[in-house]
Amino acid sequence: MTATMIRVLIAKPGLDGHDRGAKVVARALRDAGMEVIYTGLRQTPEMIADAALQEDVDVIGLSILSGAHGTLIPRVMRLLREKGLERVKVFVGGIIPDSDIPDLKASGVAGVYGPGTPTADVVKAIRDAQGTPQPG
Amino acid sequence: MRRERRSPGNPLRMPTLTERIAAGDRRALATLISRIEKHDPEAPAILGALHERTGRAMVVGITGAPGTGKSTLVAALAGAFRRGTAGHPPRTVGILAVDPTSPFSGGAILGDRIRMRDLAGDEGVFIRSMASRGRLGGLSHATDSAVRALDAAGFETILIETVGVGQDEVDIARQTPTVIVVESPGTGDDIQALKAGILEIADILVVNKADMPGADTTFESLCAMLGLGGGEGDGWKTPVMKTTAATGEGVDALAEAIHRHRAYLRESGEGRRRERERAEADLRERLRERLFERWRQSGRMDLAEMARKVAARECSPEEAVEELLK
């Protein structure tokens, strides 16, 4: 089991102070057998990329409700590339207008999940991205 | 690693992970810790090659019940070491923060970084969260190897924050030369402290959240309890210190006490004795693992079948072991 352990960094970039959704996802990923590094509120893109490097994560989940995704996410993606972490898959959750999704995906984001997404879908998307089969 | 070309004269040769870690490459360090955790078959050789670079860091274990403020204290201590204290220049800091693995899913939520955000962006700090992955006693099986990786990468101080276990922190005492036990007001009466045996493993006792009501009572009962111990002779006298990690109050003094303990270990010869003890315990464990593995690979007997027999009362565990070793 340890050989295929998936490590996920969950972070909230920017200034909004609402992390209920991020916590729900963190809990769901733990219950799916992943190791979740939860970094808390108000993370800068630099803090997120640096934590991803030190923790050697496979996946980053970013939760943004503030509307600042258009500037914050491309910065995270650029920093990850600069650090040689382009293999890390980035998923975004929160309030993201549909019209912004193509731009986020173009910047390298692997998936965008809005409110109401069943946590099982997120778990499956992460497992698929890591090439790990669903158990059972 | 072995596949890489090793000829030193070849300018196109990729540096090995070992060389990159020795050169302070943070990404290489992160990769090695992951390989250790995953039992990667190449990890032992890399660690072995780094062994001669280890033994220089000041290694400190921080343990105590959940909610006593260990993470905040570790962050504040790291800050104090980075700034330097009255008697000591700034030092680089590596942090290993261990949180529990869920026994049900095997997953974990590692939340210690939340309290360490002030350290972000400092190249002299490296923080790694580790899940206990089923190991009891507050540490992960990989902690010891991860300490060596940080040590080899040149981190001068290594702080290990254990799972908040409360009553069985023996692991940390075995693995680190200096052990800090953190208490806070209102976490159990003094009998709890006695029962847990923490007084025996603590090199420094800390009453954190010293600004909260009841802190003085906790402080005094710990002092009294240490007084009961008696008979420690001429050795180290465990100090009880008050801190308020959230404001930084008392943290520099704690950092100084850690330096004092390290000096004591060096001058008394106790440090070398502990290091030998630690190495012996480590060798025993490795030997046990390897012998078991060798036995398992010999494939002479089916462990599961034997377990069935024992559970069905067809034979005793004692007889089973004799049988399995035949």
Side-chain angles (χ1 to χ4, degrees), chain B residues 18 45-55 148 151-152 275 278:
Chain B
T18 312
I46 301 169
L47 276 170
L50 289 168
H51 185 69
E52 61 176 16
R53 297 182 54 85
T54 61
R148 289 164 64 204
D151 191 353
E275 178 68 20
R278 195 202 59 75

Side-chain angles (χ1 to χ4, degrees), chain B residues 295-317:
Chain B
W295 171 84
R296 202 180 58 81
Q297 280 174 4
S298 71
R300 276 180 298 195
M301 198 65 76
D302 186 353
L303 195 62
E305 170 56 18
M306 216 33 129
R308 191 200 58 76
K309 282 188 181 168
V310 172
R313 301 297 186 275
E314 287 169 24
C315 72
S316 72

Side-chain angles (χ1 to χ4, degrees), chain A residues 34-102:
Chain A
M34 301 178 198
E35 287 181 0
V36 182
I37 294 106
Y38 189 77
T39 60
L41 297 170
R42 287 182 276 280
Q43 300 280 306
T44 65
E46 287 75 13
M47 288 160 92
I48 291 164
D50 207 32
L53 182 142
Q54 293 172 33
E55 300 288 357
D56 194 26
V57 292
D58 308 293
V59 173
I60 300 176
L62 300 173
S63 161
I64 303 195
L65 306 165
S66 64
H69 48 271
T71 49
L72 290 170
I73 304 239
R75 251 171 76 200
V76 171
M77 302 310 294
R78 182 168 52 76
L79 288 165
L80 290 177
R81 277 194 299 277
E82 281 173 18
K83 290 177 187 289
L85 299 175
E86 45 279 280
R87 72 162 185 89
V88 177
K89 296 280 187 301
V90 177
F91 293 86
V92 176
I95 311 288
I96 312 287
D98 285 349
S99 56
D100 291 352
I101 295 177

Side-chain angles (χ1 to χ4, degrees), chain B:
Chain B
M1 301 301 297
R2 266 172 244 122
R3 283 187 299 274
E4 288 168 8
R5 283 168 293 178
R6 282 195 176 268
S7 141
N10 183 349
L12 296 177
R13 186 186 71 108
M14 292 279 289
T16 62
L17 200 58
T18 312
E19 288 164 348
R20 285 169 60 202
I21 288 165
D25 180 333
R26 296 161 73 82
R27 175 127 183 264
L29 174 60
T31 304
L32 174 58
I33 297 176
S34 298
R35 287 191 177 190
I36 292 166
E37 288 197 299
K38 287 175 182 161
H39 295 285
D40 182 306
E42 288 180 350
I46 301 169
L47 276 170
L50 289 168
H51 185 69
E52 61 176 16
R53 297 182 54 85
T54 61
R56 295 176 298 179
M58 176 162 90
V59 184
V60 184
I62 293 105
T63 189
T68 48
K70 289 186 297 296
S71 297
T72 311
L73 186 63
V74 166
L77 260 180
F81 283 122
R82 286 299 291 139
R83 280 190 307 275
T85 45
H88 298 87
R91 305 168 67 91
T92 53
V93 180
I95 298 174
L96 294 175
V98 187
D99 267 335
T101 291
S102 155
F104 302 108
S105 72
I109 292 186
L110 313 173
D112 294 317
R113 289 189 89 96
I114 298 172
R115 318 258 181 251
M116 301 181 185
R117 51 174 295 138
D118 288 352
L119 302 168
D122 181 347
E123 288 283 308
V125 176
F126 189 98
I127 307 169
R128 181 64 175 237
S129 315
M130 300 180 90
S132 61
R133 298 197 182 179
R135 166 94 171 249
L136 298 172
L139 291 177
S140 141
H141 72 273
T143 316
D144 184 45
S145 299
V147 168
R148 289 164 64 204
L150 285 167
D151 191 353
F155 286 94
E156 295 163 309
T157 303
I158 298 170
L159 306 176
I160 308 166
E161 179 192 340
T162 74
V163 169
V165 268
Q167 297 205 328
D168 184 19
E169 290 102 336
V170 191
D171 262 12
I172 193 75
R174 256 186 229 130
Q175 289 199 1
T176 59
T178 301
V179 177
I180 299 179
V181 174
V182 187
E183 292 275 319
S184 66
T187 49
D189 57 20
D190 31 2
I191 297 301
Q192 292 289 350
L194 266 183
K195 206 167 59 178
I198 54 167
L199 299 184
E200 290 152 55
I201 64 161
D203 297 305
I204 301 170
L205 263 172
V206 170
V207 179
N208 191 35
K209 306 187 185 181
D211 55 343
M212 276 175 55
D216 288 338
T217 316
T218 304
F219 178 80
E220 276 150 28
S221 63
L222 286 172
C223 290
M225 209 91 61
L226 280 177
L228 286 180
E232 263 176 82
D234 50 346
W236 173 259
K237 196 173 172 320
T238 302
V240 186
M241 308 187 72
K242 286 193 228 178
T243 59
T244 307
T247 63
E249 190 77 32
V251 175
D252 275 18
L254 176 58
E256 285 293 318
I258 292 168
H259 280 296
R260 272 202 305 283
H261 186 249
R262 182 169 161 87
Y264 157 76
L265 289 176
R266 200 170 37 230
E267 285 152 20
S268 64
E270 174 71 8
R272 253 183 322 234
R273 195 186 65 76
R274 285 195 193 185
E275 178 68 20
R276 275 198 304 271
E277 238 174 44
R278 195 202 59 75
E280 189 177 326
D282 179 57
L283 287 179
R284 273 176 204 277
E285 175 141 354
R286 284 171 194 277
L287 201 55
R288 201 173 289 136
E289 261 173 40
R290 286 290 288 278
L291 285 174
F292 177 77
E293 198 51 30
R294 191 180 288 176
W295 171 84
R296 202 180 58 81
Q297 280 174 4
S298 71
R300 276 180 298 195
M301 198 65 76
D302 186 353
L303 195 62
E305 170 56 18
M306 216 33 129
R308 191 200 58 76
K309 282 188 181 168
V310 172
R313 301 297 186 275
E314 287 169 24
C315 72
S316 72
E318 292 81 2
E319 288 160 351
V321 168
E322 289 304 324
E323 195 61 33
L324 288 166
L325 284 174
K326 263 183 191 162

